[in-house]
Amino acid sequence: MSVPRYWRETKYRYRLVGEMCVECGKVVFPRGAVCPGCGSADLEEVKLRETGRVVTWTVVRNPPAGYEKYSPFVVGLVELDDGVRVLSQIVDVELDEVETGMRVEVAFRRVKEDGPSGIIEYGFKFRPVIE
Ligand SMILES: [Zn+2]
């Protein structure tokens, strides 16, 4: 990934930003060109809730290239409190402590280091809410 593209997208990596359909009110994430609910292209940026719960999850033991040093890790489907579902790594938790329905919140973490260019990408992950 080139540097300009990386920085152009930074805003969306550091905040959970989705879109809301002006026509039908559906919240869309990741951002798309049209509303999957009604097909309208009239979408507005909307900040998503940063807490939710784990719907389902799995342990990844054979990660894709660039993520080897994080193996094994947990990837979960998280339903945010506004109903949007996000697939994300779940951090700060032992593999045997993850459970369905667990409360989680957004944590911004290093995602991967981009080879010789030395660019470190950050993105959102989720961690358990300490209650
Ligand atoms: Zn719509």
Side-chain angles (χ1 to χ4, degrees):
M1 181 181 295
S2 69
V3 170
R5 178 168 167 227
Y6 175 75
W7 287 111
R8 209 160 52 233
E9 293 181 352
T10 294
K11 175 180 171 188
Y12 301 109
R13 292 172 182 276
Y14 282 85
R15 296 166 51 208
L16 276 185
V17 177
E19 290 173 324
M20 182 184 289
C21 175
V22 174
E23 294 297 321
C24 73
K26 184 175 177 61
V27 177
V28 184
F29 183 86
R31 295 147 46 82
V34 297
C35 171
C38 71
S40 169
D42 198 1
L43 303 169
E44 287 183 344
E45 273 191 11
V46 61
K47 176 85 176 61
L48 302 179
R49 294 290 296 275
E50 295 190 342
T51 53
R53 64 185 178 85
V54 175
V55 175
T56 184
W57 56 277
T58 188
V59 176
V60 176
R61 297 180 190 278
N62 297 291
Y67 296 86
E68 293 91 344
K69 69 180 176 184
Y70 303 108
S71 175
F73 58 85
V74 178
V75 171
L77 181 64
V78 174
E79 185 171 285
L80 303 178
D81 291 334
D82 48 20
V84 174
R85 289 187 168 194
V86 180
L87 193 61
S88 170
Q89 187 178 345
I90 297 173
V91 297
D92 294 351
V93 66
E94 297 297 326
L95 298 182
D96 60 359
E97 289 179 347
V98 185
E99 48 187 43
T100 299
M102 186 175 74
R103 295 288 300 165
V104 290
E105 63 186 3
V106 171
F108 291 94
R109 293 295 169 78
R110 176 181 295 198
V111 174
K112 65 179 290 202
E113 289 180 42
D114 196 12
S117 66
I119 296 172
I120 299 172
E121 294 182 22
Y122 287 81
F124 66 84
K125 300 181 180 183
F126 285 85
R127 65 180 175 215
V129 174
I130 308 300
E131 293 174 307

